[in-house]
Amino acid sequence: MANSANDELIGTWVTGWSGARGYDNRHDGRVHASLRHDTTGDWEYVVHEPTNEELVAIAETLIKHPNRRLVAFTDNTAELVKAARTAGMSVVAQDEVIMSTAMAGHDVEDPRPAEGFEWQIERDGQHAWVSLHPENDHDVVAASGHVSVVGDVAVFDRIITDPDYRRRGFASLVMRALAAIALEDEVVDGLLVATQDGQELYKYLGWKTLGSAIVFEGGEPHILNSPTAHS
């Protein structure tokens, strides 16, 4: 990712992703942050291609606040990991990537649910949630997902398929339904952070990888009582 436009792009992702999850967020120049009240209970910093000076400053903060983390987006994982360790941080996870797509190439029509299933759609301003349920049991969520519209970007998040309903194309249906909702606004690009499990699906749907996402904490690695996954 080139530095110029992508600092702003990362800020857009933070705004949409935080909004999807109800996190407070703030933006201080190139460093963005979300308050993960439901997981770590503390701030998670986000930055694109951090400099050594930024890494040192963030590392000092993470060491003082052990529940805080840094998510750094990069094209050069090995170099960033080395620099972050030198600054006093350790790697928590490095199996996620940030991906984008041109929304003009996506279907503008709501997909029909699979036979025996129906959609539930909720909206709140620029946020929308869709879920797929068996017609005879609305308490069961076969698949679900969320999209936020931030300016001309659609930020997708939490695309989840219940283990009992996988390998039936439901995640693709959810992505199509979310894209149709987002395209009601004049969105140009789609953006998401994908776990390792979801990357092949998104590639199949035409998404392209922009860079890797690496999660760091201060000092020696330790296990917190919450997940780090973003999408």
Side-chain angles (χ1 to χ4, degrees), residues 37-225:
H37 59 78
D38 58 344
T39 56
T40 62
D42 212 329
W43 289 96
E44 182 171 275
Y45 303 106
V46 184
V47 64
H48 169 245
E49 299 289 8
T51 65
N52 287 336
E53 291 78 9
E54 287 170 334
L55 288 174
V56 169
I58 293 171
E60 291 176 352
T61 300
L62 298 189
I63 291 170
K64 291 178 183 177
H65 303 277
N67 283 348
R68 296 188 183 182
R69 290 182 171 181
L70 166 68
V71 178
F73 293 99
T74 182
D75 284 331
N76 193 329
T77 299
E79 183 176 311
L80 176 59
V81 168
K82 181 180 178 180
R85 285 175 172 160
T86 300
M89 289 185 281
S90 57
V91 176
V92 176
Q94 53 181 342
D95 60 350
E96 298 180 329
V97 298
I98 186 166
M99 307 182 78
S100 70
T101 187
M103 293 300 296
H106 291 264
D107 195 344
V108 298
E109 295 185 5
D110 293 326
R112 295 180 59 184
E115 184 176 355
F117 291 82
E118 60 186 13
W119 292 114
Q120 180 177 334
I121 300 174
E122 299 179 23
R123 300 188 188 216
D124 181 9
Q126 297 303 101
H127 305 282
W129 296 262
V130 303
S131 51
L132 190 64
H133 305 262
E135 291 178 345
N136 60 355
D137 192 349
H138 288 183
D139 291 331
V140 173
V141 181
S144 60
H146 174 274
V147 67
S148 299
V149 174
V150 183
D152 61 359
V153 177
V155 180
F156 294 73
D157 184 48
R158 282 185 167 168
I159 314 304
I160 300 171
T161 303
D162 185 277
D164 291 338
Y165 293 93
R166 289 177 181 169
R167 301 189 180 279
R168 298 172 66 171
F170 288 170
S172 296
L173 280 177
V174 166
M175 289 296 291
R176 288 176 55 202
L178 292 172
I181 291 171
L183 285 165
E184 294 176 7
D185 293 290
E186 295 183 0
V187 294
V188 176
D189 297 308
L191 198 62
L192 58 78
V193 170
T195 62
Q196 194 168 33
D197 289 342
Q199 291 169 30
E200 289 304 315
L201 167 66
Y202 302 130
K203 289 178 183 177
Y204 173 77
L205 296 176
W207 290 70
K208 296 181 179 180
T209 300
L210 296 180
S212 298
I214 310 176
V215 184
F216 297 98
E217 62 186 16
E220 294 299 319
H222 65 281
I223 298 174
L224 298 181
N225 295 323

